[in-house]
Amino acid sequence: MERELTSVDAGWWVVSHEQKIWLPQGELPFGSAEQWGLVGSRAAAIGEWQGDSVWLIRENRSESMGSIRQIIDLDSGLFQLAGRGVQLAEFVRSHRYCGYCGHEMHLSNSENACLCAHCRQRYYPQIAPCIIVAIRRDDQILLAQHARHRNSIYTVLAGFVEVGETLEQAVAREVMEESNVRIKNLRYVTSQPWPFPHSLMMAFMAEYDAGELQIDRKELIDAGWFRYDALPSLPPPGTVARRLIEDTVALCRAADEQP
Ligand SMILES: [Zn+2]
């Protein structure tokens, strides 16, 4: 689906190489291919944002190549498409050779896939499913400080789904491993693609069932049950974690206000 750009092509430009993205002046470039010196580059249309095409160019611009984290405050739809571009570029870079027979591969003309002409194997971009869950106990919410975060925020529990597991099993296992707590009434809330490097976060809410809080020191620095009106420092608005916390706080308040 890649083709050579001409001077009439325009839109948003996701120029990506080795997980980096081109951000001249710290921003995602928008405008004509001519204006950005992209005429003649090979590009693939990877989506549309508010009526304008979003293009992926797998190239290194060497200057102004940054991290997609720098544009995390963009409109979520545009950020999602930029993340899609970076992940697709990385998918192609990591699939130059067939894992079965070792022959060089080529891009499919009809879908996002890498094909091996020698053994006919077909490879698709990898997505790592990940669960994130807010747990409520009456008017309290379970929040933890994660060892992998460098800041002091408290947030909900999360982890990767393992091979052969259902989402429900993954949530129950992660919560048990990290906090020694058993949950009930698991409910799906929303999902969010998370391009660091290729996760899909699936967000849930649950209620406390049993168990004494005991944290896994390898994963967590601290954890506790926090009353909804006395919360510690939280993840920023716009994150799926923050949304889960706010939805849970609403349930806590309702539980608290019941006669
Ligand atoms: Zn092969």
Side-chain angles (χ1 to χ4, degrees), residues 49-125:
W49 173 244
Q50 294 180 343
D52 292 301
S53 295
V54 179
W55 297 89
L56 169 62
I57 302 173
R58 295 180 293 106
E59 251 177 46
N60 187 4
R61 293 253 126 189
S62 61
E63 297 240 321
S64 310
M65 295 298 286
S67 162
I68 187 150
R69 283 191 193 274
Q70 290 171 243
I71 51 168
I72 206 162
D73 292 330
L74 275 183
D75 281 304
S76 64
L78 185 56
F79 175 73
Q80 200 177 316
L81 284 164
R84 173 172 159 80
V86 172
Q87 286 174 84
L88 286 173
E90 197 55 12
F91 161 66
V92 174
R93 185 170 79 99
S94 61
H95 287 77
R96 285 181 58 198
Y97 301 98
C98 177
Y100 284 97
C101 75
H103 280 76
E104 204 162 330
M105 296 206 283
H106 63 276
L107 276 176
S108 162
N109 286 322
S110 57
E111 56 181 352
N112 287 310
C114 286
L115 311 176
C116 176
H118 186 254
C119 76
R120 303 272 158 208
Q121 190 62 39
R122 188 174 281 262
Y123 296 82
Y124 293 98

Side-chain angles (χ1 to χ4, degrees), residues 5-13 22 29-39 52 55 57:
L5 292 169
T6 69
S7 56
V8 298
D9 290 314
W12 295 93
W13 303 102
W22 185 42
F30 173 79
S32 69
E34 190 139 47
Q35 162 191 353
W36 291 104
L38 297 168
V39 174
D52 292 301
W55 297 89
I57 302 173

